[in-house]
C-alpha cells in the first residue's frame, strides 16, 4: 500500500507539472522564433555591414528586444522549467534503482525482478 501511495503521489505531481511545462515550452518556442526571424532580418540588411554594431542593433529593435528576452529567460531558468518532469523522473529512477525499481516518465513504478544470488 505504501508503494501504491508513493506511485499515486508521484504520478499526481508529474501530471501537475505538465500544464506549466507546456506553457514554458510555448513561450520558449515563440521567443526563439522571434529571435531567429529578427536575426535573419538583421543579417540580410545591407546597412548592418556599414554601421557600427550598436547602431545596427538600434536599427533592428525587434531582434534586439527578442534576443534580450531570450537571454533573460535562460538566466531565469526556463531551460530547467521546460524539462522539469523529466528531471524529477530521472532523480526518482536514481533513488529507486537501489530498491530494484524504476519509474517511467509519467511516474508509474516499474518493479524489476530480484537478482538471483548463487
Amino acid at each position: 500500500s505504501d508503494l501504491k501511495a508513493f506511485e499515486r503521489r508521484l504520478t499526481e505531481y508529474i501530471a501537475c507539472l505538465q500544464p506549466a511545462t507546456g506553457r514554458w515550452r510555448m513561450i520558449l518556442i515563440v521567443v526563439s522564433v522571434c529571435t531567429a526571424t529578427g536575426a535573419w532580418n538583421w543579417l540580410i540588411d545591407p546597412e548592418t555591414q556599414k554601421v557600427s554594431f550598436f547602431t545596427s542593433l538600434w536599427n533592428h529593435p525587434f531582434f534586439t528586444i527578442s534576443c534580450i528576452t531570450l537571454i533573460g529567460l535562460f538566466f531565469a531558468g526556463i531551460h530547467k522549467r521546460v524539462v522539469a518532469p523529466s528531471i524529477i523522473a530521472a532523480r526518482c529512477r536514481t533513488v529507486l534503482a537501489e530498491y530494484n525499481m524504476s519509474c517511467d516518465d509519467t511516474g508509474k513504478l516499474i518493479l524489476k525482478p530480484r537478482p538471483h544470488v548463487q
Side-chain angles (χ1 to χ4, degrees), residues 5-109:
F6 176 75
E7 180 182 49
R8 193 170 36 251
R9 181 67 181 126
L10 183 59
T11 55
E12 175 186 316
Y13 186 72
I14 290 175
C16 194
L17 287 175
Q18 292 299 339
T21 300
R23 283 191 295 271
W24 284 114
R25 284 181 183 156
M26 288 304 300
I27 290 170
L28 183 61
I29 289 169
V30 168
V31 173
S32 296
V33 167
C34 288
T35 303
T37 305
W40 176 254
N41 290 332
W42 181 57
L43 290 173
I44 63 170
D45 184 11
E47 290 295 315
T48 300
Q49 298 175 8
K50 298 175 185 171
V51 295
S52 71
F53 176 72
F54 291 109
T55 305
S56 68
L57 288 178
W58 185 259
N59 292 339
H60 296 276
F62 180 73
F63 168 67
T64 306
I65 291 170
S66 61
C67 190
I68 289 170
T69 303
L70 186 64
I71 291 168
L73 285 172
F74 275 101
F75 276 124
I78 193 170
H79 56 289
K80 292 178 185 173
R81 291 182 176 131
V82 166
V83 294
S86 60
I87 291 173
I88 291 170
R91 289 180 182 170
C92 284
R93 279 187 208 102
T94 303
V95 172
L96 291 170
E98 294 186 26
Y99 300 101
N100 257 0
M101 297 185 332
S102 185
C103 67
D104 61 8
D105 288 335
T106 62
K108 297 282 185 191
L109 290 180

